[in-house]
Amino acid sequence: MRFGWLLPVAVTVAGVFAVAYSLRFIHDVFFNGEPIDLPRTPHEPPRWMKVPVEILVVLCLLVGIFPAQTVEPLLAVAATAVLQGPLPEHDLALWHGVSPALWMSVIALAGGVLLYLGRRPLYALHDRLEGRLDARAIFERVLENGVLRWARRFTAAFDTGSLQRQAALFIVSALVLGGSGLLLAPAPLTGTRPLLPVDGVSLMAALALVFATLAATALHRQRLTALILIGAVGLVVALVFVKFSAPDLALTQLSVEVVTIVLLLLALYFLPQTTPAETSESRRWRDGAMALVAGSGAAALAWAVLTRPVDSIAAWFLANSVTGGGGRNVVNVILVDFRGFDTFGEITVLAIAALGIFALLEHLHLPGPTRDFHDPLRRAWDADLHPVIMATFARLLLPLALLVSAFILLRGHNLPGGGFIAGLITAIALIMQYLANGVAWTHARLPAQTHPLIAGGLLLALLTGAASWFFGRPFLTSAFGHVNLPWIGQWIGEFELASAMAFDLGVYCVVVGATLLILINLGLAHHASHPGDAAATEVKV
Amino acid sequence: MEALIALAIGVLTGCGVYLVLRAHTFPVVLGLTLLSYAVNLFLFATGRLVIGQPPVIGSAAAALGQLADPLPQALVLTAIVIGFAMTAFVIMLSLRARAELGNDHVDGRQEGGTQS
């Protein structure tokens, strides 16, 4: 602490000036005779204009003189929240005895009085220096010539308004930072964790994933082909989750894959079907090299992580899931209970994304392909937009799919499932009706109140969390118990009821609402740009 | 088995990076999708690979030994759903750009200056 004296000295000097200008205010306003050089003579304000000021003055005096009795409890709460632990020893009072702080105050007061007494020579000095030494001019010159000019130069060099360039810069910086960390680290790449043996099926799945990914990249200019290949990649990723003990993730990945592909297919309808070749071959080589480095780096990092033993906090979650959260599916208990606040934030993000998409799609007129559009192979559109077998089966499947999603939602606390997965399954079941029967038909039968659904889900999750306040617990503390209903109990037996289930129901509503909002509105954009098609559909059904 | 997962993550990342650097919106969205697979797999892999031990207490597998790490699984589960929302938002942005600008170049202008 060689410079430990610097801060107290700076505070005392600042105090000297504060005392001097306060003295100037008080002296000039109240004791220095009539005001001079003013355009109009001020008068006393009416009584009630002074009352707010007086309230503030009284508060200042009270807080200043009796801090322990006024602000101490409030400060203690705030400080405890920041420190996340017991507060250090402290004592708020006006008089602490003779201490260094008192001497600092004495110096500041005395210095301020002296400074104010010597104000006339200082004013004269100011008059002489005026125009030659202007702090504002210096400040503006430094800002303009130094900071702003360099900022402009920097922006002009790096921000050309081209996303490709921005993305390339971003990836190069990530590679440089990550690569230097990987190469400069003294640790060996391979850790000590014993490896799992490879079996034939896994090898085939991994090869399928690698092949589909490479093919999608190589064929990315044929957009539909690339999209189908990406779908295959997503399915293999779901299989990876199945293999490595993550049934919840596999279910989520599988259902998200379906909605993603439907979404991208719908979007592809409005976009050109092929990508024109890029002019510059050097750029393709440059991007290929960057991709190679990024891929090798990610693979090396994953290998280094996977081969090292892990010291995880998992044991705590596994040990406390049943006693603390009342559920046996630890992943779901983490989502709705231990880390419920995170999940609440995530469904909020989902809701905001859905509303943002709704705003983006409003009044959007997209030039989709017309009826006489032909693909490169000269194939015409299928005249049968909604094949009757598919439409009938989709309608039959709807109640079954909804039943499955309710089952997945209810069992989620104890077995793989939960609000996210159930919401996606419900959304897929409803989207299937739109796909098989057409937007107009389904829209007439299913009043898709997605906005209230999203809002209701968020509100339910929030209220479930807030309910724990009434029991003196922190936000989102969950409660659970075993319920035996009076008459029905003899048939269904005792069952468990956890407040986390209400939270999960909120998650479910937000997921259903957001997914439907996104997909239906994109479908309706098509409806708006092709009213003829919709009319044909109505007649047929 | 670890090598296969590392290979998969590497290929997904490399192809994702290549597609993200393309000049038209649809390949960029596909690239982001591949990158999100890679990130999800990587996050999941931080819990290490465990076969046949899903983190469900009281299941038949639970009696056998160490269950899989549930925490990365919970994080990845929400990441998958948020990833869908992100993909949806980006693709809508590209549709809007196509409607307003008349082309699907990421910078809103075709190379060579011809507006399609």
Side-chain angles (χ1 to χ4, degrees), chain A residues 445-471:
Chain A
R445 283 155 185 80
L446 183 81
Q449 297 289 336
T450 49
H451 288 90
L453 194 60
I454 295 175
L458 275 182
L459 205 60
L460 181 61
L462 179 72
L463 290 179
T464 312
S468 46
W469 284 337
F470 293 103
F471 301 97

mmCIF file of all heavy atoms in Angstrom, chain A residues 445-471:
data_model
loop_
_atom_site.group_PDB
_atom_site.id
_atom_site.type_symbol
_atom_site.label_atom_id
_atom_site.label_comp_id
_atom_site.label_asym_id
_atom_site.label_seq_id
_atom_site.Cartn_x
_atom_site.Cartn_y
_atom_site.Cartn_z
ATOM 1 N N ARG A 445 -61.076 -23.414 -37.377
ATOM 2 C CA ARG A 445 -61.510 -24.329 -36.316
ATOM 3 C C ARG A 445 -60.729 -24.168 -35.019
ATOM 4 O O ARG A 445 -61.184 -24.547 -33.948
ATOM 5 C CB ARG A 445 -61.374 -25.775 -36.815
ATOM 6 C CG ARG A 445 -62.496 -26.151 -37.751
ATOM 7 C CD ARG A 445 -62.076 -27.250 -38.681
ATOM 8 N NE ARG A 445 -63.117 -27.519 -39.661
ATOM 9 C CZ ARG A 445 -63.299 -26.773 -40.744
ATOM 10 N NH1 ARG A 445 -62.517 -25.744 -40.977
ATOM 11 N NH2 ARG A 445 -64.266 -27.063 -41.589
ATOM 12 N N LEU A 446 -59.505 -23.657 -35.169
ATOM 13 C CA LEU A 446 -58.648 -23.544 -33.987
ATOM 14 C C LEU A 446 -58.327 -22.078 -33.761
ATOM 15 O O LEU A 446 -57.453 -21.526 -34.393
ATOM 16 C CB LEU A 446 -57.347 -24.326 -34.216
ATOM 17 C CG LEU A 446 -56.383 -24.373 -33.056
ATOM 18 C CD1 LEU A 446 -56.814 -25.434 -32.074
ATOM 19 C CD2 LEU A 446 -54.983 -24.675 -33.557
ATOM 20 N N PRO A 447 -59.109 -21.420 -32.889
ATOM 21 C CA PRO A 447 -58.802 -20.006 -32.652
ATOM 22 C C PRO A 447 -57.461 -19.898 -31.916
ATOM 23 O O PRO A 447 -57.383 -20.116 -30.712
ATOM 24 C CB PRO A 447 -59.959 -19.515 -31.789
ATOM 25 C CG PRO A 447 -60.541 -20.747 -31.191
ATOM 26 C CD PRO A 447 -60.175 -21.922 -32.051
ATOM 27 N N ALA A 448 -56.406 -19.651 -32.680
ATOM 28 C CA ALA A 448 -55.060 -19.702 -32.106
ATOM 29 C C ALA A 448 -54.784 -18.438 -31.303
ATOM 30 O O ALA A 448 -54.288 -17.445 -31.818
ATOM 31 C CB ALA A 448 -54.038 -19.863 -33.223
ATOM 32 N N GLN A 449 -55.157 -18.498 -30.043
ATOM 33 C CA GLN A 449 -54.931 -17.343 -29.162
ATOM 34 C C GLN A 449 -53.523 -17.447 -28.582
ATOM 35 O O GLN A 449 -53.352 -17.732 -27.402
ATOM 36 C CB GLN A 449 -55.967 -17.319 -28.055
ATOM 37 C CG GLN A 449 -57.379 -17.153 -28.541
ATOM 38 C CD GLN A 449 -57.632 -15.767 -29.071
ATOM 39 O OE1 GLN A 449 -56.948 -14.835 -28.690
ATOM 40 N NE2 GLN A 449 -58.592 -15.615 -29.962
ATOM 41 N N THR A 450 -52.523 -17.226 -29.418
ATOM 42 C CA THR A 450 -51.164 -17.486 -28.944
ATOM 43 C C THR A 450 -50.661 -16.403 -28.002
ATOM 44 O O THR A 450 -49.934 -16.697 -27.060
ATOM 45 C CB THR A 450 -50.205 -17.633 -30.124
ATOM 46 O OG1 THR A 450 -50.403 -16.543 -31.000
ATOM 47 C CG2 THR A 450 -50.440 -18.924 -30.847
ATOM 48 N N HIS A 451 -51.054 -15.138 -28.239
ATOM 49 C CA HIS A 451 -50.566 -14.076 -27.349
ATOM 50 C C HIS A 451 -51.036 -14.277 -25.908
ATOM 51 O O HIS A 451 -50.221 -14.256 -24.991
ATOM 52 C CB HIS A 451 -50.988 -12.696 -27.869
ATOM 53 C CG HIS A 451 -50.246 -12.266 -29.086
ATOM 54 N ND1 HIS A 451 -50.676 -12.557 -30.350
ATOM 55 C CD2 HIS A 451 -49.093 -11.604 -29.224
ATOM 56 C CE1 HIS A 451 -49.814 -12.077 -31.219
ATOM 57 N NE2 HIS A 451 -48.848 -11.492 -30.572
ATOM 58 N N PRO A 452 -52.355 -14.500 -25.692
ATOM 59 C CA PRO A 452 -52.782 -14.755 -24.305
ATOM 60 C C PRO A 452 -52.127 -15.995 -23.715
ATOM 61 O O PRO A 452 -51.844 -16.045 -22.517
ATOM 62 C CB PRO A 452 -54.301 -14.956 -24.427
ATOM 63 C CG PRO A 452 -54.678 -14.331 -25.700
ATOM 64 C CD PRO A 452 -53.494 -14.430 -26.605
ATOM 65 N N LEU A 453 -51.859 -17.006 -24.569
ATOM 66 C CA LEU A 453 -51.243 -18.237 -24.068
ATOM 67 C C LEU A 453 -49.839 -17.960 -23.545
ATOM 68 O O LEU A 453 -49.461 -18.411 -22.451
ATOM 69 C CB LEU A 453 -51.194 -19.265 -25.196
ATOM 70 C CG LEU A 453 -50.907 -20.705 -24.797
ATOM 71 C CD1 LEU A 453 -51.979 -21.199 -23.847
ATOM 72 C CD2 LEU A 453 -50.845 -21.600 -26.021
ATOM 73 N N ILE A 454 -49.054 -17.190 -24.326
ATOM 74 C CA ILE A 454 -47.693 -16.855 -23.895
ATOM 75 C C ILE A 454 -47.744 -16.038 -22.612
ATOM 76 O O ILE A 454 -47.049 -16.333 -21.622
ATOM 77 C CB ILE A 454 -46.965 -16.064 -25.003
ATOM 78 C CG1 ILE A 454 -46.771 -16.947 -26.233
ATOM 79 C CG2 ILE A 454 -45.625 -15.563 -24.505
ATOM 80 C CD1 ILE A 454 -46.177 -16.213 -27.400
ATOM 81 N N ALA A 455 -48.625 -15.013 -22.620
ATOM 82 C CA ALA A 455 -48.703 -14.139 -21.438
ATOM 83 C C ALA A 455 -49.163 -14.926 -20.225
ATOM 84 O O ALA A 455 -48.612 -14.789 -19.123
ATOM 85 C CB ALA A 455 -49.649 -12.975 -21.723
ATOM 86 N N GLY A 456 -50.177 -15.799 -20.429
ATOM 87 C CA GLY A 456 -50.704 -16.599 -19.326
ATOM 88 C C GLY A 456 -49.638 -17.521 -18.750
ATOM 89 O O GLY A 456 -49.526 -17.675 -17.535
ATOM 90 N N GLY A 457 -48.837 -18.128 -19.655
ATOM 91 C CA GLY A 457 -47.783 -19.027 -19.194
ATOM 92 C C GLY A 457 -46.754 -18.301 -18.355
ATOM 93 O O GLY A 457 -46.370 -18.763 -17.273
ATOM 94 N N LEU A 458 -46.326 -17.133 -18.857
ATOM 95 C CA LEU A 458 -45.337 -16.345 -18.098
ATOM 96 C C LEU A 458 -45.903 -15.949 -16.738
ATOM 97 O O LEU A 458 -45.220 -16.021 -15.717
ATOM 98 C CB LEU A 458 -44.959 -15.090 -18.876
ATOM 99 C CG LEU A 458 -43.865 -15.217 -19.923
ATOM 100 C CD1 LEU A 458 -43.589 -13.874 -20.560
ATOM 101 C CD2 LEU A 458 -42.589 -15.747 -19.285
ATOM 102 N N LEU A 459 -47.182 -15.536 -16.756
ATOM 103 C CA LEU A 459 -47.819 -15.070 -15.521
ATOM 104 C C LEU A 459 -47.931 -16.220 -14.518
ATOM 105 O O LEU A 459 -47.662 -16.053 -13.329
ATOM 106 C CB LEU A 459 -49.207 -14.519 -15.863
ATOM 107 C CG LEU A 459 -49.776 -13.503 -14.901
ATOM 108 C CD1 LEU A 459 -48.868 -12.298 -14.819
ATOM 109 C CD2 LEU A 459 -51.167 -13.092 -15.338
ATOM 110 N N LEU A 460 -48.293 -17.411 -15.038
ATOM 111 C CA LEU A 460 -48.417 -18.575 -14.162
ATOM 112 C C LEU A 460 -47.072 -18.897 -13.511
ATOM 113 O O LEU A 460 -46.986 -19.131 -12.301
ATOM 114 C CB LEU A 460 -48.927 -19.764 -14.968
ATOM 115 C CG LEU A 460 -49.138 -21.058 -14.184
ATOM 116 C CD1 LEU A 460 -50.179 -20.846 -13.108
ATOM 117 C CD2 LEU A 460 -49.549 -22.191 -15.109
ATOM 118 N N ALA A 461 -46.005 -18.884 -14.345
ATOM 119 C CA ALA A 461 -44.676 -19.181 -13.805
ATOM 120 C C ALA A 461 -44.284 -18.141 -12.759
ATOM 121 O O ALA A 461 -43.751 -18.460 -11.696
ATOM 122 C CB ALA A 461 -43.657 -19.225 -14.935
ATOM 123 N N LEU A 462 -44.580 -16.872 -13.061
ATOM 124 C CA LEU A 462 -44.225 -15.792 -12.138
ATOM 125 C C LEU A 462 -44.983 -15.921 -10.823
ATOM 126 O O LEU A 462 -44.409 -15.815 -9.740
ATOM 127 C CB LEU A 462 -44.535 -14.446 -12.803
ATOM 128 C CG LEU A 462 -44.236 -13.213 -11.969
ATOM 129 C CD1 LEU A 462 -42.745 -13.017 -11.873
ATOM 130 C CD2 LEU A 462 -44.887 -11.981 -12.568
ATOM 131 N N LEU A 463 -46.305 -16.194 -10.935
ATOM 132 C CA LEU A 463 -47.114 -16.273 -9.723
ATOM 133 C C LEU A 463 -46.725 -17.485 -8.890
ATOM 134 O O LEU A 463 -46.702 -17.418 -7.658
ATOM 135 C CB LEU A 463 -48.601 -16.340 -10.095
ATOM 136 C CG LEU A 463 -49.166 -15.048 -10.680
ATOM 137 C CD1 LEU A 463 -50.635 -15.221 -11.034
ATOM 138 C CD2 LEU A 463 -48.990 -13.895 -9.713
ATOM 139 N N THR A 464 -46.391 -18.607 -9.571
ATOM 140 C CA THR A 464 -45.944 -19.786 -8.827
ATOM 141 C C THR A 464 -44.696 -19.441 -8.029
ATOM 142 O O THR A 464 -44.557 -19.834 -6.861
ATOM 143 C CB THR A 464 -45.604 -20.938 -9.794
ATOM 144 O OG1 THR A 464 -46.668 -21.067 -10.722
ATOM 145 C CG2 THR A 464 -45.423 -22.224 -9.050
ATOM 146 N N GLY A 465 -43.793 -18.709 -8.685
ATOM 147 C CA GLY A 465 -42.573 -18.316 -7.992
ATOM 148 C C GLY A 465 -42.857 -17.366 -6.855
ATOM 149 O O GLY A 465 -42.310 -17.493 -5.758
ATOM 150 N N ALA A 466 -43.759 -16.398 -7.105
ATOM 151 C CA ALA A 466 -44.026 -15.369 -6.104
ATOM 152 C C ALA A 466 -44.797 -15.938 -4.923
ATOM 153 O O ALA A 466 -44.732 -15.402 -3.817
ATOM 154 C CB ALA A 466 -44.796 -14.215 -6.739
ATOM 155 N N ALA A 467 -45.526 -17.054 -5.148
ATOM 156 C CA ALA A 467 -46.345 -17.623 -4.063
ATOM 157 C C ALA A 467 -45.483 -17.973 -2.861
ATOM 158 O O ALA A 467 -45.936 -17.888 -1.721
ATOM 159 C CB ALA A 467 -47.083 -18.858 -4.571
ATOM 160 N N SER A 468 -44.200 -18.343 -3.121
ATOM 161 C CA SER A 468 -43.371 -18.745 -1.982
ATOM 162 C C SER A 468 -43.065 -17.569 -1.063
ATOM 163 O O SER A 468 -42.692 -17.772 0.086
ATOM 164 C CB SER A 468 -42.084 -19.395 -2.481
ATOM 165 O OG SER A 468 -41.508 -18.652 -3.512
ATOM 166 N N TRP A 469 -43.254 -16.335 -1.547
ATOM 167 C CA TRP A 469 -43.047 -15.175 -0.666
ATOM 168 C C TRP A 469 -44.022 -15.182 0.507
ATOM 169 O O TRP A 469 -43.699 -14.768 1.610
ATOM 170 C CB TRP A 469 -43.234 -13.867 -1.462
ATOM 171 C CG TRP A 469 -42.078 -13.548 -2.339
ATOM 172 C CD1 TRP A 469 -40.791 -13.980 -2.193
ATOM 173 C CD2 TRP A 469 -42.086 -12.740 -3.509
ATOM 174 N NE1 TRP A 469 -40.012 -13.490 -3.194
ATOM 175 C CE2 TRP A 469 -40.777 -12.724 -4.016
ATOM 176 C CE3 TRP A 469 -43.073 -12.023 -4.183
ATOM 177 C CZ2 TRP A 469 -40.419 -12.026 -5.167
ATOM 178 C CZ3 TRP A 469 -42.724 -11.319 -5.317
ATOM 179 C CH2 TRP A 469 -41.414 -11.321 -5.805
ATOM 180 N N PHE A 470 -45.245 -15.685 0.226
ATOM 181 C CA PHE A 470 -46.257 -15.652 1.288
ATOM 182 C C PHE A 470 -45.921 -16.621 2.409
ATOM 183 O O PHE A 470 -46.494 -16.581 3.479
ATOM 184 C CB PHE A 470 -47.638 -15.971 0.705
ATOM 185 C CG PHE A 470 -48.119 -14.895 -0.223
ATOM 186 C CD1 PHE A 470 -48.074 -15.065 -1.591
ATOM 187 C CD2 PHE A 470 -48.582 -13.687 0.281
ATOM 188 C CE1 PHE A 470 -48.491 -14.070 -2.448
ATOM 189 C CE2 PHE A 470 -48.997 -12.682 -0.563
ATOM 190 C CZ PHE A 470 -48.948 -12.864 -1.936
ATOM 191 N N PHE A 471 -44.996 -17.556 2.119
ATOM 192 C CA PHE A 471 -44.575 -18.479 3.174
ATOM 193 C C PHE A 471 -43.196 -18.094 3.704
ATOM 194 O O PHE A 471 -42.517 -18.891 4.328
ATOM 195 C CB PHE A 471 -44.554 -19.909 2.626
ATOM 196 C CG PHE A 471 -45.896 -20.346 2.115
ATOM 197 C CD1 PHE A 471 -46.194 -20.260 0.767
ATOM 198 C CD2 PHE A 471 -46.869 -20.796 2.993
ATOM 199 C CE1 PHE A 471 -47.439 -20.632 0.297
ATOM 200 C CE2 PHE A 471 -48.110 -21.177 2.526
ATOM 201 C CZ PHE A 471 -48.399 -21.091 1.179
#
